[in-house]
Amino acid sequence: IHLEELFLGSANTLRLLGDIQLTTKYLRVSSNSTVELNGFTEIYVKEGAVGGDSVYIEAGSVINNTRRPKDFALFVQGTKQVRIGSNVIYQGTIYAPDNSVELGAGTQFFGSVLGDVVNLGANLRLHQDLALQREGTAGSSQTPSVRMRYWSD
């Protein structure tokens, strides 16, 4: 499925049924919204957004209700920022090797995140899901390699 942009309005629910592979130039999930899954979902955000961020998930949103991070994968191409707002519950992976990724204050992140720079907000709960290393993502035949390059307090 290709969409020019994927925009979910405030306090809405998007239900993605079955295994889905979606491409878009811009992804925005407005505050207090939910993305529900019933299957494996991959979203590819290709460079193309004008100005600002290529991905913005606003405060209070829930991404992936399955409680299985391997069910949701977000791939971001280009150099625009990926922002996850405050108090978001995110269960999945983010692969954005050339992007700055911001995880907001109070967010609960379950899964794996890779970015050029990853900024962590105050009171963030980051749960690196090591099962992803053993299992890979549901749609992938490759087993990813996870390692800590450096840590700074």
Side-chain angles (χ1 to χ4, degrees), residues 68-108:
R68 291 185 307 263
K70 70 177 186 170
D71 287 346
F72 183 76
L74 176 63
F75 299 91
V76 184
Q77 177 187 40
T79 58
K80 298 196 185 270
Q81 187 171 22
V82 175
R83 287 195 304 157
I84 309 297
S86 61
N87 300 308
V88 168
I89 299 172
Y90 187 103
Q91 299 184 65
T93 61
I94 297 175
Y95 182 78
D98 298 320
N99 307 75
S100 170
V101 179
E102 177 185 318
L103 302 178
T107 286
Q108 295 185 53

Side-chain angles (χ1 to χ4, degrees), residues 107-126:
T107 286
Q108 295 185 53
F109 188 97
F110 300 85
S112 180
V113 59
L114 183 139
D116 181 43
V117 174
V118 179
N119 296 305
L120 306 176
N123 299 315
L124 171 87
R125 293 177 189 248
L126 178 61

Side-chain angles (χ1 to χ4, degrees), residues 8-16 32-37 62 65:
L8 181 60
S10 185
N12 280 296
T13 299
L14 174 64
R15 289 182 181 89
L16 299 171
N32 302 308
S33 293
T34 302
V35 176
E36 294 181 354
L37 309 179
V62 176
N65 61 311

Side-chain angles (χ1 to χ4, degrees), residues 1-6 14-25 40-46:
I1 300 171
H2 175 75
L3 301 171
E4 192 65 24
E5 64 179 44
L6 178 57
L14 174 64
R15 289 182 181 89
L16 299 171
L17 305 176
D19 293 347
I20 294 176
Q21 189 176 75
L22 186 138
T23 61
T24 186
K25 291 182 179 178
F40 176 68
T41 299
E42 291 179 320
I43 297 179
Y44 294 86
V45 180
K46 311 254 180 178

